[in-house]
Amino acid sequence: MNNRVNPDLPRELREFGIRDWNECYHCGTCTAICPLTAQGFLFPRKTIRLMQMGLKDHLSTCVEPWLCYYCGECSEQCPRNANPGELMMSLRRYLTSLYDWTGLSKKFYTSKVWELAFIIIFAILVVLTFIFVLPPLDTTLTPQGGVKVNSFAPFHIIEYFDWAMAIVVAGLLVSNILRMYYRVVWQGTSNKVGLLDHIREFWHLIYNFVVQPKFSKCEDKSYWLYHWLLMSGYTIMFILIVVFLPWFQTEKIHPPWHLQRALGYYATIGLLIGLTAAIIGRLKKQEFKFQFSHVSDWLFLVMLTLTVITGILIHLFRVNGMPWATYVSYIAHMAILVPMILIEVPFSKWSHLAYRPFAVYFARLQKSAMTKTA
Amino acid sequence: MRSMEEARIGVYVCWCGNNIAKMVDVELVTELIGKLPHVVVSKNYKYMCSDPGQELIAEDILEHNLNRVVVAACSPRIHELTFRKVLEKSGLNPYLFEMANIREQDSWVHDNREAATRKAVELVAGAISRVQYHEPLDKRSVGINPATLVIGGGVAGMSAALEVANAGREVYLLEKTEQLGGMVSHFDLTFPYLYDADKMLEVMIRRTINHPHIKVFYNTTISEVHGYIGNFETTIQSDSNQEQTLTFGNIIVATGLRPFDASRVGQYGYGRLPNVITSVEFEDLLRTGQVRTKEGNIPQNIAIIHCVGSRNTEFHEYCSRTCCQVALKFANQLRSLLPDSNIYDLYADMRAFGKGCEELYTATSKKEIIFMMFDQQHELPQIIKSVAPGDPPMLIFFREKISGLGLEIPADMIILMVGMEAHPDVKDIAHAVGISICSNAFFIEKHPKLDPVATTTSGVYIVGNCQGPKGIPDSVAQAKAAAARVLATINQGSVHVEVTTAEVNETLCCGCQTCIMVCPYTAIHYDREKKVSVVNEVLCKGCGTCGSTCPTGAIRSKHFTDQQILSQIDGLMKMALKIE
Ligand SMILES: Cc1cc2nc3c(=O)[nH]c(=O)nc-3n(C[C@H](O)[C@H](O)[C@H](O)COP(=O)(O)OP(=O)(O)OC[C@H]3O[C@@H](n4cnc5c(N)ncnc54)[C@H](O)[C@@H]3O)c2cc1C
Ligand code: SF4
Ligand code: SF4
Ligand code: SF4
Ligand code: SF4
Ligand code: SF4
């Protein structure tokens, strides 16, 4: 590991949203107040120091940024307005780009042009595919008076697309998580961690992924609820579309209490509540965690909101028998959804969803390695 | 020597709110004491030092025709003067008074009420026994020579000199070197506002040199001063090697401090590595307007190391108080001069207190200075010459305290923030003017909080860094405070001097001169004709050292005569036996 202090790194980190990287004077108030810091994983002060000194090797083996759930309490208490919570957020962006071997993550975080160009190109590709590849649309209605979606976008074809996309995205994400594992667990611990430890600690991964318990440690419990609604809604919708599309995209209109529609409604409402809370928060900027928004934060919120809205429109137009409107919103929905998933899941915000529970898991592994040394 | 008239004593026991009353049964003390012979009145009151408390004594003196007063209360250091004044106002000599300390020496230090009450009775009985032997003493005063001697021509010395001289009084300013200005003449800018040091200093020096009431002596210092407040005298060796005698009424010492010798910290390589320099040398470098290494290159990596020689028991335990802020000043200046350089600041603690200084710290941290913390007590950084090709010439190895990591810093230039320490001749100066130095070799003030520029020797003041490390604003403030004190003394025309002095009984004195050797205030001299020692009553502080040393019992300390002290013990012991 390189132990040489390197002033160039903090300068570079500006691109990831770090503003006054040197404001912190290390009083330690933030670490004292942080509800999530724990023995062996002291943050955010220590992590900030590593960043200020430009110790790239040490930073890249750090799980601490992932253990922070950005409640913003540290930023509220910091006597120097160093905004430690935001520094941790920026470090998560930086780490995401370090884990990503394609280099795209860094490009998206540091260049608006790259990010927008990527979105637009994929949106156009989606639209072109619908126009030229998929069958012509059928405006007749089903006996129930619904739109024949499957004639226009046959689920078996869409399903292939979904699968292909899922495989690409998952492949990227898994390879990046492996790179994270290599840094955090292999490079970050002096003792090697045994297979048994890996198995013993595995339930932490599942538990943290499903429940996101760390959020509930923050003083403001509503934050955990909003985040959980958003996350569970997103995950359910993702699974419905990618895994259960034939069951989800039916021409038969089920009664509203049918599981298919009930799950869809739950996911939509969860997404809407979570999104509204986040957007209001970012607009009001009253809470610290919402005071500084990186371009990627807004882009993600806007795209997800548009996805949800177009999704709702498809549903409304479909059950009310309005074929043209249904098809236009379907194309729009896909044109936003596809680039969003391609960017967010492996390279940006939603990859955090995977990194976080893995970080908790890896932290457990680090800890078991540490106790071995002791 | 009991005075002719019958002693009529008034005794007053103070509650001191609850301070005394909670541990001492003051009612009982009053009652028991009231039964002693010669005690005419015995009273207690909640706060004797308050106005009604004082009036109580004054009324009793008139009503009962009292001629002695005893107050049992706090320490005489706090209120002896208060009560003496009451006696004076009521027409009694203020020395016909005695105080028994039943607070600091009793209620505050015991936890058994019964025993504490008994002790109080005994202490008061001792005081009553003693006060019967008190004699009236007369106040004395001496005239003041209106000239002032200032030793040291730094910012503190010059400020004091100018302040006194502007009031129209003569000042002799002695400077050891050939120029005025002291440490500040090295500086480029001054913290916290980064003002030009030269501009400030030049004006001050010009005013000092041209002032009609200031006479500057260069290359001059003092070796011996005779006399006492109002009437000092010394002989100096001036420039032209001529001896000159100066007489003056007050002395202001402003000899400053000197930088710590950085080569004493072995692992910093000062003296061995050419580009390891001290903060003072760096100031000189800044004055040239160009920061270059010894080889003439522009340094890319510059490190600043704090606390060199300070805050480490191996060198000096104290904090030199200005170096953190000087380091911030340097970081700012470096950033302006070399915008693309890497600047590292290794501190033990950042002490940026004081007006404008925290703001300087905050502003500096916005300038991409990398701050790091090391352990000043246990693990000083190590500077080594680097040998690897492509590396900068020096590497600093250290353990960063907050991350706990052992790290290295590349460096082309390293600035050591040296602490301040006393001049080697500080003991001579202290001896010459009759003041003391502390364990750090700074001059000691009369009271660290309530009298910070005076010393225990009347008429001698200490200002600026020689009293302890500090910045220019504090040094100047002290200088002006001392000047005000001096001017007030001069304006009085005369000062009261101690009357509780020693006196030699010439018939008993054998001329052994032991007393001369022990007197800490050089107040005794030997009369060769009469072959006896003589006490200079103006110089004598009444410390009693000579009296207790004199083998023939020739010395009598006024107000502390053998008889007075023995009778106090006698009264105390008798009461103790009686209570048994
Ligand atoms: C590198 C450095 C940078 C600093 N920068 C700042 C700054 O930016 N701002 C700030 O506020 N403070 C600064 N300081 C502190 C500043 O130096 C002191 O506050 C100031 O010098 C104190 O003035 P002084 O007159 O008490 O002592 P000095 O400046 O030390 O002057 C004492 C004078 O007395 C003379 N002298 C000594 N012994 C004798 C003797 N026996 N007889 C006759 N003369 C004698 C000396 O020759 C000298 O001229 C800095 C200090 C250092 C070391
Ligand atoms: S981020 Fe703020 S609270 Fe935390 S150590 Fe730094 S200055 Fe203190
Ligand atoms: S934002 Fe909250 S969780 Fe994150 S470091 Fe600050 S206090 Fe801890
Ligand atoms: S002022 Fe700063 S550098 Fe100087 S001794 Fe004190 S702590 Fe150390
Ligand atoms: S010690 Fe006593 S006897 Fe000796 S010289 Fe002094 S006064 Fe005289
Ligand atoms: S009482 Fe003290 S000060 Fe006075 S002459 Fe004796 S030793 Fe000196």
Side-chain angles (χ1 to χ4, degrees), chain A residues 4-262:
Chain A
R4 186 169 291 185
V5 177
N6 172 17
D8 293 330
L9 185 69
R11 289 177 196 148
E12 232 174 80
L13 288 177
R14 286 245 169 80
E15 299 184 331
F16 292 88
I18 287 183
R19 274 151 236 258
D20 279 325
W21 56 267
N22 217 11
E23 279 283 17
C24 163
Y25 58 6
H26 299 281
C27 64
T29 308
C30 50
T31 303
I33 206 105
C34 174
L36 293 174
T37 188
Q39 179 107 52
F41 300 93
L42 292 173
F43 64 90
R45 174 173 78 161
K46 196 171 158 184
T47 324
I48 295 171
R49 185 63 124 195
L50 295 178
M51 180 271 290
Q52 289 175 332
M53 298 191 296
L55 298 172
K56 185 174 171 178
D57 288 1
H58 290 277
L59 272 177
S60 74
T61 60
C62 240
V63 275
E64 282 83 351
W66 298 113
L67 303 179
C68 157
Y69 278 60
Y70 207 171
C71 62
E73 276 162 44
C74 54
S75 294
E76 246 163 74
Q77 299 298 332
C78 171
R80 232 195 188 193
N81 290 329
N83 207 343
E86 185 61 25
L87 291 175
M88 294 297 270
M89 179 68 225
S90 306
L91 284 173
R92 285 193 285 278
R93 294 190 196 113
Y94 172 63
L95 288 180
T96 309
S97 81
L98 278 189
Y99 301 151
D100 172 37
W101 52 270
T102 62
L104 283 170
S105 177
K106 182 172 178 182
K107 283 272 186 295
F108 294 151
Y109 273 130
T110 57
S111 155
K112 286 172 217 171
V113 179
W114 263 85
E115 193 160 20
L116 286 174
F118 185 92
I119 292 170
I120 291 169
I121 289 170
F122 272 87
I124 291 174
L125 278 177
V126 170
V127 176
L128 291 178
T129 312
F130 270 102
I131 295 176
F132 294 110
V133 181
L134 289 172
L137 49 100
D138 177 354
T139 48
T140 58
L141 298 181
T142 62
Q144 279 171 307
V147 176
K148 290 182 177 165
V149 194
N150 281 335
S151 70
F152 156 73
F155 63 75
H156 56 271
I157 301 185
I158 299 290
E159 205 177 16
Y160 284 133
F161 274 116
D162 281 357
W163 279 100
M165 191 171 72
I167 287 169
V168 170
V169 164
L172 287 167
L173 192 59
V174 167
S175 60
N176 287 346
I177 287 174
L178 283 176
R179 282 165 58 85
M180 174 188 186
Y181 172 81
Y182 172 70
R183 280 163 198 262
V184 172
V185 182
W186 276 77
Q187 293 187 322
T189 54
S190 41
N191 269 32
K192 288 300 154 239
V193 188
L195 183 65
L196 219 65
D197 293 322
H198 282 82
I199 298 168
R200 187 157 31 84
E201 304 292 350
F202 191 73
W203 71 273
H204 281 284
L205 175 64
I206 308 297
Y207 173 63
N208 277 278
F209 188 81
V210 176
V211 186
Q212 306 265 331
K214 300 245 165 180
F215 275 106
S216 64
K217 278 208 188 168
C218 302
E219 216 164 72
D220 183 1
K221 299 280 180 280
S222 59
Y223 183 45
W224 169 79
L225 184 67
Y226 291 142
H227 196 271
W228 194 82
L229 281 174
L230 187 67
M231 193 221 62
S232 58
Y234 187 87
T235 314
I236 288 173
M237 206 46 123
F238 190 85
I239 294 173
L240 286 178
I241 289 171
V242 176
V243 188
F244 300 107
L245 192 71
W247 177 77
F248 187 60
Q249 183 176 309
T250 54
E251 288 186 353
K252 182 166 186 277
I253 299 173
H254 293 290
W257 55 87
H258 184 269
L259 192 62
Q260 178 214 47
R261 280 181 79 174

Side-chain angles (χ1 to χ4, degrees), chain B residues 156 175-176 183 187 190-191 221 255 329 425 465 470-472:
Chain B
E175 168 53 50
K176 190 163 66 173
M183 283 300 298
F187 307 163
T190 56
F191 71 75
T221 182
T255 49
K329 170 177 86 173
D425 65 353
N465 271 13
K470 59 179 71 68
I472 299 169

Side-chain angles (χ1 to χ4, degrees), chain B residues 253-434:
Chain B
V253 184
T255 49
L257 295 170
R258 62 168 183 170
F260 172 81
D261 172 12
S263 62
R264 283 177 62 195
V265 191
Q267 62 262 58
Y268 288 167
Y270 178 74
R272 274 186 289 119
L273 299 166
N275 286 308
V276 175
I277 61 175
T278 68
S279 48
V280 184
E281 288 163 343
F282 187 67
E283 289 277 7
D284 289 330
L285 197 60
L286 283 169
R287 283 163 66 88
T288 66
Q290 277 196 324
V291 174
R292 296 288 180 270
T293 61
K294 284 275 148 58
E295 299 77 26
N297 304 324
I298 297 175
Q300 174 59 24
N301 291 293
I302 304 150
I304 300 171
I305 301 182
H306 288 230
C307 294
V308 179
S310 308
R311 304 186 56 210
N312 184 312
T313 39
E314 211 179 306
F315 310 108
H316 294 301
E317 202 180 344
Y318 57 83
C319 161
S320 293
R321 205 157 179 263
T322 57
C323 9
C324 276
Q325 293 149 70
V326 177
L328 293 172
K329 170 177 86 173
F330 288 171
N332 272 280
Q333 290 187 263
L334 275 168
R335 183 50 80 224
S336 315
L337 287 169
L338 306 170
D340 300 323
S341 59
N342 297 325
I343 304 167
Y344 310 88
D345 186 294
L346 279 92
Y347 64 79
D349 282 299
M350 183 56 80
R351 299 194 167 173
F353 57 90
K355 215 170 167 178
C357 295
E358 181 65 23
E359 292 90 326
L360 177 68
Y361 181 21
T362 311
T364 310
S365 63
K366 291 190 199 295
K367 296 193 174 162
E368 306 208 334
I369 314 296
I370 314 256
F371 291 101
M372 287 160 284
M373 191 179 199
F374 65 93
D375 187 337
Q376 170 70 0
Q377 282 304 322
H378 306 105
E379 220 176 342
L380 291 185
Q382 179 98 26
I383 300 175
I384 60 144
K385 203 169 153 173
S386 112
V387 281
D391 259 359
M394 293 179 287
L395 287 175
I396 305 174
F397 288 96
F398 76 111
R399 182 162 302 283
E400 205 278 325
K401 219 173 166 183
I402 285 167
S403 60
L405 297 173
L407 301 177
E408 62 184 60
I409 298 173
D412 303 300
M413 178 184 272
I414 296 169
I415 304 163
L416 302 179
M417 301 310 300
V418 285
M420 301 304 292
E421 64 181 14
H423 288 291
D425 65 353
V426 63
K427 272 198 186 126
D428 305 335
I429 302 281
H431 187 76
V433 300

Side-chain angles (χ1 to χ4, degrees), chain A residues 319-332:
Chain A
V319 294
N320 289 309
M322 299 161 73
W324 273 101
T326 308
Y327 299 145
V328 170
S329 14
Y330 198 104
I331 297 176

Side-chain angles (χ1 to χ4, degrees), chain B residues 102-238:
Chain B
I102 58 166
R103 195 179 72 177
E104 283 84 342
Q105 292 179 0
D106 192 5
S107 73
W108 274 0
V109 289
H110 297 303
D111 55 9
N112 180 329
R113 192 170 152 91
E114 200 190 316
T117 305
R118 209 182 315 145
K119 182 170 171 180
V121 176
E122 290 161 13
L123 286 169
V124 182
I128 289 168
S129 178
R130 182 189 213 274
V131 82
Q132 298 179 41
Y133 292 92
H134 279 198
E135 298 157 18
L137 298 172
D138 287 330
K139 277 189 178 170
R140 281 181 320 101
S141 62
V142 293
I144 298 277
N145 179 333
T148 303
L149 179 78
V150 176
I151 310 170
V155 280
M158 283 191 286
S159 301
L162 283 167
E163 199 71 15
V164 174
N166 285 343
R169 304 298 185 176
E170 288 312 308
V171 176
Y172 305 117
L173 177 58
L174 307 191
E175 168 53 50
K176 190 163 66 173
T177 66
E178 68 273 10
Q179 61 163 36
L180 294 176
M183 283 300 298
V184 181
S185 52
H186 289 280
F187 307 163
D188 185 28
L189 303 181
T190 56
F191 71 75
Y193 305 115
L194 307 184
Y195 292 159
D196 192 318
D198 262 353
K199 274 199 191 130
M200 176 190 86
L201 200 62
E202 248 174 51
V203 175
M204 202 182 232
I205 294 178
R206 200 156 8 93
R207 284 196 189 141
T208 307
I209 295 173
N210 296 334
H211 205 291
H213 293 300
I214 302 179
K215 173 118 185 57
V216 184
F217 298 89
Y218 297 98
N219 301 311
T220 308
T221 182
I222 45 157
S223 45
E224 221 182 326
V225 178
H226 301 283
Y228 44 87
I229 179 168
N231 301 280
F232 290 110
E233 181 188 305
T234 189
T235 305
I236 55 161
Q237 206 89 23
S238 67

Side-chain angles (χ1 to χ4, degrees), chain B residues 151-152 156 252-258 421-423 426 429 435-438 440-445 461-470 475 478:
Chain B
I151 310 170
I252 297 177
V253 184
T255 49
L257 295 170
R258 62 168 183 170
E421 64 181 14
H423 288 291
V426 63
I429 302 281
I435 58 178
S436 335
I437 56 175
C438 69
N440 294 323
F442 306 140
F443 296 129
I444 301 181
E445 57 281 355
Y461 299 90
I462 48 175
V463 302
N465 271 13
C466 64
Q467 183 259 354
K470 59 179 71 68
S475 301
Q478 286 194 332

